[in-house]
Amino acid sequence: MLSTQIKPVHSKGRLLYLERKKKEAQLAEKLAQQKVEATSQGASTSNKSTELDVWFDGLNICSIYNYSNCICFFQTSLIPLIPKTRDVFVYRAYIALKKYGVVINEIHGASPQELQPLKMLAEYFSQPSKREAIVLKLDQQISGNIDVNNYLFLLVAATIYYNESSFETALKVLHQSDNLECRALMLQTQLKMDRVDLAKKELKTMQEIDDDAILTQLASAWVNLTTGGDKLQDAYYTFQELADKNAATALLLNGQATCCIGQGKYEEAESALQDALEKDSNNTDTLVNLVVMSQLSSKAPEVSNRYLSQLIDSAPDHPFVKEFQVKEKDFDMLAKQYTVPS
């Protein structure tokens, strides 16, 4: 049922991108294995295309942050993938769902080398006391020769540097790859650095690689959202179209809500955010947007405080929480200077 929800578009750009992705994900090994099986079983070459469609379906599901469905999709698919290809998607989904223990316990020394970066990422997120050591180890790894075809390592390394606010280092790692996910993370990093000019150039690169890919469409929406003004409506339509064609995930609903907030459409924003909250009650983007939207729409203080308390409880290390706590301390310090003596 899930495989019918997302229909990959086989444009010329998609076919070219497919060839690169086969190499990067080591699909050559998988296809060679299936060729032997097809010879003995009399299977047609169309089975290969069917399997690649399943692979793209899984990538698309992950691209819109539909992680629970991603796990279910690969565990129930009737078309087999080689284990390490399947496991890359499944373990990434578990990390996104904060099920770090699954990844740490299942990836061990004998596991495929391609999966090892995912264990490092799970340890980074789940064990704050080890983060400094993990970053130092990563510094040593990137100082040597990096296999630019190992896109998963590049993504993990850049994700860690991004979370460390080492944006320049993240870009240094990513720029070596033509992988679409790496380019998308580059674009996100550039937007985080307020370099919309660079992000627009990166978007053009992504469109040349595969204009039809969900990641490219999302990147376009992110750039338009950051640009603001008339582009907010364009971004809204992109998020809406992706939701209609695939699934209305928290990512897409938050994108729509942010566009509405930028246009002063607070009722529409609240509706989208409530839908997102129903899908994931602890989604940090949803809670942050609800805090902001509650303030802008002049709701009662307790409404905003309720969402803020939930955010602090579920994600105490979130940048929004840390910045709020710093501002709160600054305010208290300033307030003491104006205390009226009794």
Side-chain angles (χ1 to χ4, degrees):
M1 182 177 182
L2 283 173
S3 62
T4 64
Q5 293 180 356
I6 302 174
K7 301 289 186 180
V9 180
H10 298 292
S11 64
K12 182 178 179 181
R14 169 69 56 107
L15 293 175
L16 292 173
Y17 176 53
L18 185 148
E19 293 302 320
R20 280 189 290 272
K21 295 300 291 187
K22 284 194 297 184
K23 180 179 178 181
E24 294 164 355
Q26 298 185 336
L27 290 179
E29 176 185 345
K30 167 171 62 74
L31 294 177
Q33 179 182 350
Q34 287 198 332
K35 184 176 181 180
V36 174
E37 295 174 355
T39 302
S40 62
Q41 298 174 5
S44 67
T45 56
S46 63
N47 288 341
K48 297 178 183 179
S49 297
T50 303
E51 183 183 359
L52 288 173
D53 285 348
V54 172
W55 188 87
F56 268 116
D57 283 352
L59 177 61
N60 289 340
I61 293 172
C62 289
S63 295
I64 59 173
Y65 293 15
N66 201 353
Y67 296 116
S68 295
N69 279 6
C70 178
I71 294 172
C72 180
F73 178 85
F74 281 105
Q75 289 179 341
T76 60
S77 175
L78 298 178
I79 302 174
L81 295 171
I82 57 174
K84 61 185 177 184
T85 302
R86 178 199 64 221
D87 290 346
V88 164
F89 284 105
V90 173
Y91 288 140
R92 287 176 67 180
Y94 275 123
I95 290 174
L97 293 171
K98 300 182 180 180
K99 306 295 183 182
Y100 307 120
V102 175
V103 181
I104 294 172
N105 293 333
E106 293 188 8
I107 298 179
H108 44 76
S111 299
Q113 191 62 33
E114 293 87 346
L115 299 178
Q116 298 302 326
L118 293 177
K119 182 172 184 177
M120 176 171 61
L121 185 61
E123 290 175 340
Y124 173 83
F125 283 128
S126 64
Q127 302 172 24
S129 62
K130 291 187 177 182
R131 287 178 183 173
E132 184 176 354
I134 290 173
V135 173
L136 288 174
K137 179 181 178 181
L138 200 55
D139 288 341
Q140 294 176 348
Q141 289 178 300
I142 69 168
S143 64
N145 294 325
I146 301 177
D147 181 6
V148 295
N149 291 321
N150 187 354
Y151 80 98
L152 189 59
F153 171 76
L154 300 180
L155 282 174
V156 167
T159 298
I160 291 175
Y161 284 124
Y162 183 98
N163 281 273
E164 290 288 312
S165 297
S166 298
F167 303 125
E168 294 288 352
T169 307
L171 292 176
K172 179 182 176 181
V173 170
L174 292 168
H175 91 279
Q176 305 171 75
S177 174
D178 286 331
N179 175 273
L180 200 64
E181 288 188 86
C182 290
R183 310 309 299 195
L185 185 51
M186 276 190 68
L187 184 144
Q188 285 182 304
T189 304
Q190 291 160 346
L191 290 177
K192 184 69 174 179
M193 299 169 66
D194 294 324
R195 292 301 306 271
V196 182
D197 56 327
L198 296 179
K200 288 180 177 179
K201 292 180 180 179
E202 192 58 49
L203 176 60
K204 290 182 179 179
T205 301
M206 294 180 65
Q207 289 170 335
E208 291 172 359
I209 295 174
D210 188 354
D211 192 29
D212 297 319
I214 284 182
L215 277 175
T216 304
Q217 296 175 52
L218 279 173
S220 174
W222 294 332
V223 170
N224 285 335
L225 184 59
T226 305
T227 303
D230 295 338
K231 294 295 184 180
L232 287 173
Q233 194 62 40
D234 293 338
Y236 179 89
Y237 287 140
T238 300
F239 289 125
Q240 181 66 58
E241 182 180 3
L242 289 173
D244 290 342
K245 289 183 178 179
N246 304 288
T249 61
L251 169 74
L252 299 177
L253 289 167
N254 271 281
Q256 289 179 278
T258 306
C259 294
C260 290
I261 291 174
Q263 295 173 304
K265 301 176 181 178
Y266 300 130
E267 290 186 6
E268 293 182 32
E270 183 175 14
S271 177
L273 291 172
Q274 290 300 332
D275 287 345
L277 199 62
E278 290 181 8
K279 295 179 180 298
D280 183 358
S281 60
N282 291 317
N283 183 281
T284 54
D285 289 340
T286 304
L287 293 171
V288 169
N289 284 328
L290 280 167
V291 170
V292 174
M293 191 276 302
S294 298
Q295 291 283 343
L296 292 174
S297 58
S298 302
K299 288 188 175 294
E302 54 267 24
V303 175
S304 178
N305 291 337
R306 186 182 308 121
Y307 294 130
L308 181 60
S309 296
Q310 189 175 343
L311 176 64
I312 294 173
D313 183 59
S314 62
D317 292 329
H318 192 278
F320 185 92
V321 173
K322 290 184 175 180
E323 185 175 357
F324 175 82
Q325 291 172 338
V326 169
K327 298 299 183 184
E328 193 174 39
K329 289 180 181 178
D330 290 342
F331 178 83
D332 290 342
M333 185 178 297
L334 288 171
K336 289 179 181 179
Q337 300 177 15
Y338 299 94
T339 301
V340 179
S342 55

